[in-house]
Amino acid sequence: MSLQVLVVEDDRSIREMMRQALSLEGFTVRTAVSLSEAGSMVENATPDLMLLDLGLPDGDGAALLQRVRLTHNFPVLVVSARHQEAQKVQLLDAGADDYLVKPFSVAELLARIRVALRHRGTTVAAAVTRHTLDGLEIDLEARSVHLAGAALHLTPTEFNLLARLVRSAGKVVTHRQLLLDVWGAEFVDHTHYLRLYMGQLRAKLERNPAEPRHLLTEVGVGYRLATV
Amino acid sequence: MTNSPTLTPDNRTGRYAVWLLVLLAVPTGVGLLLDAHITVMTQSMLYVLAVVVGAYVLPAAASMACAVLAVVGLNFFFVPPRWTFAVDSQEHLVALVVMMVVALVISQLSQRLRRNTALARLHARRAEQLQTLASQLSLCTDAAAAARAGARHVAQAFDGPTVLALQSDGQLSGVDAATEITPSMQDGLRAAMREAAVLGPGTGRWPGLNAWYLPLGSGQQMYGAVCVQNIEASDDAGREHAQALSALLAQALERLRLGREMAMANERNTRQQLQNTFLAAVSHDLRTPLAAMVGNASSLLTQRDKMTTDEQATLLDGIVLSATHLSRLTENTLQLVQLANSDQPLALDWESMEEIAGACVARHRQAGGETRLRLHLAAGLPLVRVNAVLIAQLLDNLLDNALKYSEDAVDLKVRVYNGHMQILVQDRGPVIPKELQTQIFEPYSRGDRSGKQGAGLGLALCRAIVLAHGGRISLRARQAGGNSFRVCLPLSVEPSLAPSGDAP
């Protein structure tokens, strides 16, 4: 049984492009051209993943996302144009899993979908507690971090920040989500904390902190822990 | 014009009575003292002198009284039979009558002279006031200031209370917040504006009022109205003065409005011209990638079966590259228009240049497999307060530009220099001549750099982004050949980390 993807996009040519690309990869694709149509489709049959375009004719994607998140846990990828920066971040904060910026290549689209599905799967996957890539080994249960076999010493805050990224490895985590989960609700405006601690983490984890291999920056959105 | 501290009526009557007494006592006393030496004729001269002085210093009624009493005094004290009101000779009677006539005529003439003098002074003062107001108004740059000056002058010009109200969005409001406009006054002001004419006593319209209502403006454009209370119907000169003041203020308001409209029209015009330049340039820059896309796609459609897979792949690559270029061009155009037309302050946050520069370099390496880019970050860079998305776009444009025009390595350097965050993008491409070094940041005055697709708009956007952050951007030739674009961004005081007991 193939995975169901719901594509919510009002532009016909982009919708058809996505449909074709995803069908070739073996997904079953359903399409909706408006938020209301997408809403009723989700009610009728829960998809395994939703691609949600911002700037649909009948309003704001955030409203649909909130409604969907009340009862469903399938991954949602936001598709936005460059000028919808603020809206995109708002949706990520509201529970979208990742995003794509138009114009994007099919390769990018498929890579993002793979990461999103690996995280959620079709069943509730065990929480990610281990992460290994390129000589970096992180074990959340043992609270240990090794780089090229050598143990790294992190401060509690640095470790919590890294742990939060590990739990969403491969996906973007917004600035707000990190501040909220690592420092707490009263610190969501203290972005300089986040910048400074990320700088410290990069200095400890990266061979070349200026050109990070693991702790990737998504300018204006958040951070992503590399998985490939 | 209000007189400075005025006397109360009681005070004034007392003072005139004293004057009258003195004016009559002095010639009488002098006459009695010099009784032996002067004739009745001379004595009458003394009294006439007193009448002349009286006419000058006393109001009309008192000066008439002075004239009559002078004749009575002459008769009583000096005309035989003395110390009686009787008159003996015909001659003396005639003299007394003549003296009475002379005294009254003098008193009348002096009175008129005084009135005319006062009137001339008032006219002069009013003319001077009009001149002062006109020169003050000519210096005013906004309607509110002009209205305040007008209100001040109207209040100075009349004794009674005055109100100057301006109309905005159909609402009448006093020039200063303290002004209270009663409903009846509101009606009068509105009526004056509606009829574009003066209302009130002496105007033939609404004669029952005890105030004049004067419109500010003409039939086409009404700015408000003036109300002058406690006036006299017969005071034509006063009403004319009020009208002159109102007309002057209305002219000034009209001038300011036209000035505003002209400035707006100019601004629209400039913006229109800029947009035209923009459109022409954008469409010029769109042609190249579009032509490449159409060309590649159509040759794939018609000649695919004659091509090797490698040839097909090259054409497809070309389409993707051109489309990517188009998309960047569109982004830049939109962003530039947004920056140029937005009054919104930028959304700033504490950002790390290490992250922004690193992300841009990574993107370039992934997208184009670009190996010529070299990143040099100084150690321990402070955070900057910027809009990260815009700064990333700035770096993208500068790097794109440098990579496009240079065959060799391109360096991106970030350091703190002279209290600023300095970003350098350096290439070894053909040196841009000195005369183009500032011009190159204008939208679409691309220094002709080998006729490739230009970043004319890209550099204009770079400048707009840097200016929006309160920074500077410049271009210099490098000593060993190539160009160095340098951006200076202001540094703010970085907030400290709250002590969290989180020692590394």
Short mmCIF file of all heavy atoms in Angstrom, two decimals, chain B residues 37-94:
data_model
loop_
_atom_site.label_atom_id
_atom_site.label_comp_id
_atom_site.label_asym_id
_atom_site.label_seq_id
_atom_site.Cartn_x
_atom_site.Cartn_y
_atom_site.Cartn_z
N HIS B 37 -3.86 144.74 34.91
CA HIS B 37 -3.03 144.90 33.69
C HIS B 37 -3.69 144.45 32.40
O HIS B 37 -3.21 144.75 31.35
CB HIS B 37 -1.72 144.10 33.85
CG HIS B 37 -1.02 144.40 35.14
ND1 HIS B 37 -0.27 145.56 35.35
CD2 HIS B 37 -0.97 143.73 36.31
CE1 HIS B 37 0.20 145.55 36.59
NE2 HIS B 37 -0.21 144.44 37.19
N ILE B 38 -4.74 143.68 32.49
CA ILE B 38 -5.31 143.18 31.22
C ILE B 38 -6.77 143.58 31.05
O ILE B 38 -7.48 143.82 32.03
CB ILE B 38 -5.21 141.65 31.13
CG1 ILE B 38 -5.90 141.00 32.34
CG2 ILE B 38 -3.80 141.19 31.00
CD1 ILE B 38 -6.00 139.49 32.23
N THR B 39 -7.19 143.62 29.77
CA THR B 39 -8.57 143.99 29.47
C THR B 39 -9.39 142.72 29.37
O THR B 39 -8.86 141.60 29.35
CB THR B 39 -8.66 144.74 28.12
OG1 THR B 39 -8.17 143.82 27.13
CG2 THR B 39 -7.87 146.01 28.12
N VAL B 40 -10.69 142.91 29.25
CA VAL B 40 -11.62 141.78 29.05
C VAL B 40 -11.23 141.01 27.78
O VAL B 40 -11.30 139.78 27.71
CB VAL B 40 -13.06 142.29 28.96
CG1 VAL B 40 -14.01 141.14 28.59
CG2 VAL B 40 -13.48 142.91 30.26
N MET B 41 -10.77 141.74 26.77
CA MET B 41 -10.39 141.11 25.50
C MET B 41 -9.29 140.06 25.71
O MET B 41 -9.37 138.92 25.27
CB MET B 41 -9.91 142.21 24.53
CG MET B 41 -9.45 141.70 23.19
SD MET B 41 -10.80 140.86 22.35
CE MET B 41 -11.75 142.28 21.83
N THR B 42 -8.25 140.50 26.45
CA THR B 42 -7.13 139.58 26.73
C THR B 42 -7.61 138.41 27.56
O THR B 42 -7.24 137.24 27.34
CB THR B 42 -6.02 140.33 27.50
OG1 THR B 42 -5.77 141.56 26.83
CG2 THR B 42 -4.76 139.50 27.58
N GLN B 43 -8.44 138.76 28.55
CA GLN B 43 -8.97 137.71 29.41
C GLN B 43 -9.70 136.64 28.59
O GLN B 43 -9.57 135.44 28.81
CB GLN B 43 -9.92 138.32 30.43
CG GLN B 43 -10.49 137.32 31.43
CD GLN B 43 -9.40 136.60 32.21
OE1 GLN B 43 -8.48 137.26 32.72
NE2 GLN B 43 -9.48 135.27 32.26
N SER B 44 -10.50 137.12 27.60
CA SER B 44 -11.26 136.15 26.78
C SER B 44 -10.29 135.25 26.02
O SER B 44 -10.56 134.07 25.79
CB SER B 44 -12.19 136.89 25.81
OG SER B 44 -11.41 137.56 24.84
N MET B 45 -9.11 135.84 25.62
CA MET B 45 -8.10 135.03 24.94
C MET B 45 -7.63 133.88 25.83
O MET B 45 -7.44 132.74 25.39
CB MET B 45 -6.89 135.90 24.56
CG MET B 45 -7.16 136.79 23.38
SD MET B 45 -7.40 135.78 21.92
CE MET B 45 -8.85 136.52 21.27
N LEU B 46 -7.40 134.21 27.15
CA LEU B 46 -6.97 133.17 28.10
C LEU B 46 -7.98 132.04 28.12
O LEU B 46 -7.64 130.86 28.12
CB LEU B 46 -6.81 133.77 29.50
CG LEU B 46 -5.58 134.67 29.69
CD1 LEU B 46 -5.60 135.30 31.09
CD2 LEU B 46 -4.29 133.88 29.50
N TYR B 47 -9.28 132.42 28.19
CA TYR B 47 -10.32 131.39 28.21
C TYR B 47 -10.32 130.57 26.91
O TYR B 47 -10.49 129.35 26.92
CB TYR B 47 -11.70 132.01 28.46
CG TYR B 47 -11.98 132.22 29.93
CD1 TYR B 47 -12.12 133.51 30.47
CD2 TYR B 47 -12.13 131.12 30.79
CE1 TYR B 47 -12.37 133.70 31.82
CE2 TYR B 47 -12.38 131.32 32.13
CZ TYR B 47 -12.49 132.59 32.65
OH TYR B 47 -12.75 132.75 33.98
N VAL B 48 -10.15 131.26 25.77
CA VAL B 48 -10.12 130.53 24.48
C VAL B 48 -8.97 129.51 24.49
O VAL B 48 -9.13 128.36 24.03
CB VAL B 48 -9.96 131.52 23.30
CG1 VAL B 48 -9.65 130.77 22.00
CG2 VAL B 48 -11.23 132.33 23.13
N LEU B 49 -7.84 129.95 25.06
CA LEU B 49 -6.71 129.02 25.16
C LEU B 49 -7.09 127.77 25.96
O LEU B 49 -6.80 126.63 25.56
CB LEU B 49 -5.53 129.75 25.83
CG LEU B 49 -4.22 128.95 25.92
CD1 LEU B 49 -3.71 128.60 24.54
CD2 LEU B 49 -3.16 129.74 26.69
N ALA B 50 -7.80 128.05 27.09
CA ALA B 50 -8.24 126.92 27.92
C ALA B 50 -9.17 126.00 27.12
O ALA B 50 -9.10 124.76 27.20
CB ALA B 50 -8.94 127.40 29.18
N VAL B 51 -10.06 126.60 26.33
CA VAL B 51 -10.99 125.80 25.52
C VAL B 51 -10.21 124.93 24.51
O VAL B 51 -10.52 123.75 24.30
CB VAL B 51 -12.00 126.72 24.79
CG1 VAL B 51 -12.80 125.92 23.73
CG2 VAL B 51 -12.95 127.34 25.79
N VAL B 52 -9.19 125.53 23.88
CA VAL B 52 -8.39 124.77 22.90
C VAL B 52 -7.72 123.56 23.57
O VAL B 52 -7.79 122.43 23.07
CB VAL B 52 -7.31 125.68 22.26
CG1 VAL B 52 -6.35 124.85 21.41
CG2 VAL B 52 -7.97 126.74 21.41
N VAL B 53 -7.10 123.85 24.74
CA VAL B 53 -6.45 122.74 25.46
C VAL B 53 -7.49 121.69 25.83
O VAL B 53 -7.29 120.48 25.65
CB VAL B 53 -5.71 123.26 26.73
CG1 VAL B 53 -5.16 122.09 27.54
CG2 VAL B 53 -4.60 124.19 26.32
N GLY B 54 -8.65 122.18 26.35
CA GLY B 54 -9.73 121.25 26.73
C GLY B 54 -10.17 120.38 25.56
O GLY B 54 -10.37 119.18 25.68
N ALA B 55 -10.31 121.05 24.41
CA ALA B 55 -10.74 120.30 23.23
C ALA B 55 -9.75 119.18 22.90
O ALA B 55 -10.11 118.13 22.38
CB ALA B 55 -10.88 121.24 22.03
N TYR B 56 -8.50 119.41 23.23
CA TYR B 56 -7.49 118.42 22.90
C TYR B 56 -7.45 117.25 23.89
O TYR B 56 -7.28 116.11 23.51
CB TYR B 56 -6.12 119.10 22.84
CG TYR B 56 -5.08 118.18 22.29
CD1 TYR B 56 -5.07 117.87 20.93
CD2 TYR B 56 -4.14 117.58 23.10
CE1 TYR B 56 -4.17 116.98 20.40
CE2 TYR B 56 -3.22 116.68 22.58
CZ TYR B 56 -3.23 116.40 21.23
OH TYR B 56 -2.32 115.53 20.72
N VAL B 57 -7.66 117.60 25.20
CA VAL B 57 -7.49 116.53 26.19
C VAL B 57 -8.80 115.90 26.64
O VAL B 57 -8.80 114.82 27.21
CB VAL B 57 -6.72 117.03 27.46
CG1 VAL B 57 -5.32 117.44 27.10
CG2 VAL B 57 -7.47 118.13 28.16
N LEU B 58 -9.94 116.56 26.43
CA LEU B 58 -11.21 116.02 26.96
C LEU B 58 -12.04 115.37 25.87
O LEU B 58 -11.92 115.73 24.69
CB LEU B 58 -12.01 117.18 27.59
CG LEU B 58 -11.35 117.86 28.80
CD1 LEU B 58 -12.16 119.08 29.24
CD2 LEU B 58 -11.23 116.88 29.96
N PRO B 59 -12.90 114.42 26.28
CA PRO B 59 -13.81 113.84 25.29
C PRO B 59 -14.86 114.88 24.86
O PRO B 59 -14.99 115.94 25.49
CB PRO B 59 -14.47 112.68 26.04
CG PRO B 59 -14.28 112.98 27.48
CD PRO B 59 -13.06 113.80 27.61
N ALA B 60 -15.63 114.54 23.83
CA ALA B 60 -16.52 115.52 23.16
C ALA B 60 -17.40 116.29 24.15
O ALA B 60 -17.35 117.52 24.20
CB ALA B 60 -17.37 114.81 22.13
N ALA B 61 -18.18 115.58 24.95
CA ALA B 61 -19.15 116.25 25.83
C ALA B 61 -18.45 117.18 26.81
O ALA B 61 -18.84 118.35 26.99
CB ALA B 61 -19.96 115.20 26.58
N ALA B 62 -17.37 116.69 27.41
CA ALA B 62 -16.65 117.49 28.40
C ALA B 62 -16.05 118.73 27.76
O ALA B 62 -16.02 119.80 28.35
CB ALA B 62 -15.57 116.63 29.05
N SER B 63 -15.57 118.58 26.51
CA SER B 63 -14.94 119.73 25.87
C SER B 63 -15.99 120.79 25.51
O SER B 63 -15.73 121.98 25.57
CB SER B 63 -14.11 119.30 24.68
OG SER B 63 -14.74 119.59 23.46
N MET B 64 -17.21 120.33 25.14
CA MET B 64 -18.31 121.27 24.91
C MET B 64 -18.63 122.00 26.22
O MET B 64 -18.79 123.23 26.26
CB MET B 64 -19.58 120.54 24.44
CG MET B 64 -19.40 119.78 23.14
SD MET B 64 -19.57 120.81 21.72
CE MET B 64 -21.34 120.83 21.56
N ALA B 65 -18.70 121.19 27.29
CA ALA B 65 -18.99 121.79 28.60
C ALA B 65 -17.93 122.82 28.94
O ALA B 65 -18.22 123.90 29.46
CB ALA B 65 -19.03 120.69 29.66
N CYS B 66 -16.69 122.49 28.63
CA CYS B 66 -15.58 123.41 28.90
C CYS B 66 -15.78 124.72 28.15
O CYS B 66 -15.61 125.82 28.71
CB CYS B 66 -14.28 122.74 28.47
SG CYS B 66 -12.82 123.72 28.79
N ALA B 67 -16.20 124.61 26.87
CA ALA B 67 -16.43 125.81 26.06
C ALA B 67 -17.52 126.68 26.69
O ALA B 67 -17.36 127.90 26.86
CB ALA B 67 -16.80 125.42 24.64
N VAL B 68 -18.64 126.05 27.06
CA VAL B 68 -19.78 126.80 27.62
C VAL B 68 -19.37 127.43 28.95
O VAL B 68 -19.59 128.64 29.19
CB VAL B 68 -21.00 125.87 27.81
CG1 VAL B 68 -22.11 126.57 28.57
CG2 VAL B 68 -21.48 125.40 26.45
N LEU B 69 -18.72 126.63 29.81
CA LEU B 69 -18.34 127.14 31.13
C LEU B 69 -17.32 128.27 31.02
O LEU B 69 -17.30 129.18 31.85
CB LEU B 69 -17.80 125.99 31.99
CG LEU B 69 -18.88 125.00 32.48
CD1 LEU B 69 -18.23 123.82 33.18
CD2 LEU B 69 -19.86 125.70 33.43
N ALA B 70 -16.42 128.20 30.01
CA ALA B 70 -15.44 129.27 29.82
C ALA B 70 -16.16 130.58 29.54
O ALA B 70 -15.83 131.63 30.12
CB ALA B 70 -14.50 128.91 28.67
N VAL B 71 -17.18 130.51 28.67
CA VAL B 71 -17.95 131.74 28.35
C VAL B 71 -18.68 132.23 29.60
O VAL B 71 -18.66 133.43 29.95
CB VAL B 71 -18.94 131.47 27.20
CG1 VAL B 71 -19.81 132.70 26.97
CG2 VAL B 71 -18.16 131.13 25.95
N VAL B 72 -19.30 131.28 30.33
CA VAL B 72 -20.02 131.66 31.55
C VAL B 72 -19.05 132.29 32.56
O VAL B 72 -19.33 133.32 33.18
CB VAL B 72 -20.72 130.41 32.16
CG1 VAL B 72 -21.27 130.72 33.55
CG2 VAL B 72 -21.84 129.95 31.24
N GLY B 73 -17.87 131.68 32.69
CA GLY B 73 -16.87 132.20 33.62
C GLY B 73 -16.44 133.60 33.25
O GLY B 73 -16.35 134.49 34.10
N LEU B 74 -16.18 133.81 31.94
CA LEU B 74 -15.76 135.14 31.48
C LEU B 74 -16.84 136.16 31.86
O LEU B 74 -16.54 137.23 32.39
CB LEU B 74 -15.55 135.11 29.96
CG LEU B 74 -15.12 136.42 29.31
CD1 LEU B 74 -13.70 136.76 29.76
CD2 LEU B 74 -15.18 136.34 27.80
N ASN B 75 -18.07 135.76 31.58
CA ASN B 75 -19.19 136.66 31.87
C ASN B 75 -19.25 136.95 33.37
O ASN B 75 -19.33 138.08 33.81
CB ASN B 75 -20.48 135.99 31.40
CG ASN B 75 -21.71 136.84 31.75
OD1 ASN B 75 -21.59 137.98 32.16
ND2 ASN B 75 -22.88 136.23 31.59
N PHE B 76 -19.15 135.91 34.20
CA PHE B 76 -19.34 136.05 35.63
C PHE B 76 -18.21 136.84 36.29
O PHE B 76 -18.45 137.77 37.06
CB PHE B 76 -19.45 134.65 36.26
CG PHE B 76 -19.82 134.68 37.72
CD1 PHE B 76 -21.15 134.81 38.11
CD2 PHE B 76 -18.85 134.58 38.70
CE1 PHE B 76 -21.49 134.85 39.47
CE2 PHE B 76 -19.20 134.62 40.05
CZ PHE B 76 -20.52 134.74 40.44
N PHE B 77 -16.97 136.45 35.95
CA PHE B 77 -15.85 137.04 36.67
C PHE B 77 -15.35 138.36 36.08
O PHE B 77 -14.83 139.19 36.78
CB PHE B 77 -14.66 136.06 36.72
CG PHE B 77 -14.96 134.81 37.51
CD1 PHE B 77 -15.13 133.58 36.90
CD2 PHE B 77 -15.08 134.89 38.91
CE1 PHE B 77 -15.40 132.45 37.63
CE2 PHE B 77 -15.36 133.75 39.63
CZ PHE B 77 -15.53 132.52 39.03
N PHE B 78 -15.50 138.53 34.77
CA PHE B 78 -14.76 139.65 34.16
C PHE B 78 -15.63 140.67 33.41
O PHE B 78 -15.26 141.80 33.26
CB PHE B 78 -13.66 139.11 33.23
CG PHE B 78 -12.69 138.25 33.98
CD1 PHE B 78 -12.75 136.87 33.92
CD2 PHE B 78 -11.72 138.84 34.78
CE1 PHE B 78 -11.86 136.08 34.63
CE2 PHE B 78 -10.82 138.05 35.49
CZ PHE B 78 -10.88 136.67 35.41
N VAL B 79 -16.77 140.18 32.83
CA VAL B 79 -17.58 141.14 32.04
C VAL B 79 -18.44 141.97 33.01
O VAL B 79 -19.17 141.38 33.82
CB VAL B 79 -18.47 140.39 31.03
CG1 VAL B 79 -19.40 141.36 30.31
CG2 VAL B 79 -17.59 139.68 30.02
N PRO B 80 -18.28 143.29 32.92
CA PRO B 80 -19.09 144.11 33.84
C PRO B 80 -20.59 143.95 33.55
O PRO B 80 -20.95 143.76 32.36
CB PRO B 80 -18.62 145.54 33.53
CG PRO B 80 -17.62 145.46 32.44
CD PRO B 80 -17.43 144.06 32.04
N PRO B 81 -21.45 143.98 34.50
CA PRO B 81 -21.14 144.00 35.93
C PRO B 81 -20.54 142.66 36.39
O PRO B 81 -21.11 141.61 36.13
CB PRO B 81 -22.50 144.24 36.57
CG PRO B 81 -23.48 143.66 35.58
CD PRO B 81 -22.90 143.86 34.24
N ARG B 82 -19.35 142.79 37.01
CA ARG B 82 -18.65 141.57 37.43
C ARG B 82 -19.38 140.90 38.58
O ARG B 82 -20.18 141.50 39.28
CB ARG B 82 -17.20 141.91 37.81
CG ARG B 82 -16.45 142.43 36.56
CD ARG B 82 -15.07 142.89 36.87
NE ARG B 82 -14.19 141.76 37.22
CZ ARG B 82 -12.89 141.92 37.41
NH1 ARG B 82 -12.35 143.13 37.33
NH2 ARG B 82 -12.13 140.90 37.74
N TRP B 83 -19.05 139.56 38.77
CA TRP B 83 -19.64 138.71 39.81
C TRP B 83 -21.15 138.57 39.64
O TRP B 83 -21.86 138.25 40.57
CB TRP B 83 -19.28 139.22 41.23
CG TRP B 83 -17.81 139.47 41.35
CD1 TRP B 83 -17.19 140.66 41.30
CD2 TRP B 83 -16.81 138.46 41.49
NE1 TRP B 83 -15.84 140.54 41.40
CE2 TRP B 83 -15.57 139.17 41.52
CE3 TRP B 83 -16.81 137.08 41.58
CZ2 TRP B 83 -14.35 138.51 41.65
CZ3 TRP B 83 -15.59 136.46 41.73
CH2 TRP B 83 -14.37 137.16 41.75
N THR B 84 -21.66 138.82 38.43
CA THR B 84 -23.07 138.52 38.12
C THR B 84 -23.10 137.87 36.75
O THR B 84 -22.13 137.95 36.00
CB THR B 84 -23.96 139.78 38.05
OG1 THR B 84 -23.51 140.53 36.89
CG2 THR B 84 -23.90 140.63 39.29
N PHE B 85 -24.25 137.28 36.47
CA PHE B 85 -24.42 136.71 35.12
C PHE B 85 -25.00 137.71 34.13
O PHE B 85 -25.19 137.41 32.98
CB PHE B 85 -25.32 135.45 35.18
CG PHE B 85 -24.63 134.29 35.86
CD1 PHE B 85 -25.02 133.89 37.12
CD2 PHE B 85 -23.57 133.65 35.24
CE1 PHE B 85 -24.37 132.83 37.74
CE2 PHE B 85 -22.92 132.59 35.87
CZ PHE B 85 -23.31 132.18 37.13
N ALA B 86 -25.29 138.93 34.68
CA ALA B 86 -25.91 139.96 33.80
C ALA B 86 -24.83 140.55 32.89
O ALA B 86 -23.64 140.48 33.20
CB ALA B 86 -26.52 141.05 34.66
N VAL B 87 -25.29 141.11 31.76
CA VAL B 87 -24.38 141.76 30.81
C VAL B 87 -24.93 143.15 30.53
O VAL B 87 -26.10 143.28 30.19
CB VAL B 87 -24.27 140.96 29.50
CG1 VAL B 87 -23.27 141.63 28.56
CG2 VAL B 87 -23.87 139.53 29.78
N ASP B 88 -24.01 144.16 30.68
CA ASP B 88 -24.50 145.54 30.45
C ASP B 88 -24.62 145.88 28.99
O ASP B 88 -25.71 146.07 28.46
CB ASP B 88 -23.49 146.56 31.03
CG ASP B 88 -23.45 146.51 32.51
OD1 ASP B 88 -24.17 145.65 33.04
OD2 ASP B 88 -22.69 147.29 33.12
N SER B 89 -23.43 145.91 28.43
CA SER B 89 -23.43 146.53 27.09
C SER B 89 -23.72 145.51 26.01
O SER B 89 -23.45 144.30 26.14
CB SER B 89 -22.06 147.17 26.84
OG SER B 89 -21.10 146.13 26.73
N GLN B 90 -24.28 146.06 24.96
CA GLN B 90 -24.56 145.27 23.75
C GLN B 90 -23.28 144.63 23.24
O GLN B 90 -23.23 143.46 22.85
CB GLN B 90 -25.10 146.19 22.65
CG GLN B 90 -26.47 146.73 22.96
CD GLN B 90 -27.53 145.97 22.18
OE1 GLN B 90 -27.37 145.77 21.02
NE2 GLN B 90 -28.61 145.55 22.84
N GLU B 91 -22.20 145.46 23.28
CA GLU B 91 -20.93 145.00 22.72
C GLU B 91 -20.45 143.74 23.41
O GLU B 91 -20.02 142.77 22.79
CB GLU B 91 -19.89 146.11 22.87
CG GLU B 91 -18.60 145.78 22.13
CD GLU B 91 -17.46 146.66 22.61
OE1 GLU B 91 -17.72 147.64 23.33
OE2 GLU B 91 -16.31 146.33 22.25
N HIS B 92 -20.52 143.79 24.78
CA HIS B 92 -20.06 142.63 25.54
C HIS B 92 -20.89 141.39 25.25
O HIS B 92 -20.38 140.28 25.19
CB HIS B 92 -20.08 142.94 27.06
CG HIS B 92 -18.92 143.79 27.45
ND1 HIS B 92 -18.96 144.69 28.50
CD2 HIS B 92 -17.67 143.90 26.93
CE1 HIS B 92 -17.80 145.30 28.59
NE2 HIS B 92 -17.00 144.84 27.62
N LEU B 93 -22.21 141.64 25.06
CA LEU B 93 -23.09 140.51 24.76
C LEU B 93 -22.66 139.86 23.43
O LEU B 93 -22.51 138.64 23.32
CB LEU B 93 -24.55 140.98 24.67
CG LEU B 93 -25.57 139.85 24.58
CD1 LEU B 93 -25.53 139.00 25.84
CD2 LEU B 93 -26.96 140.39 24.35
N VAL B 94 -22.44 140.74 22.43
CA VAL B 94 -22.00 140.23 21.13
C VAL B 94 -20.68 139.46 21.29
O VAL B 94 -20.50 138.34 20.79
CB VAL B 94 -21.83 141.36 20.11
CG1 VAL B 94 -21.16 140.85 18.83
CG2 VAL B 94 -23.18 141.97 19.79
#
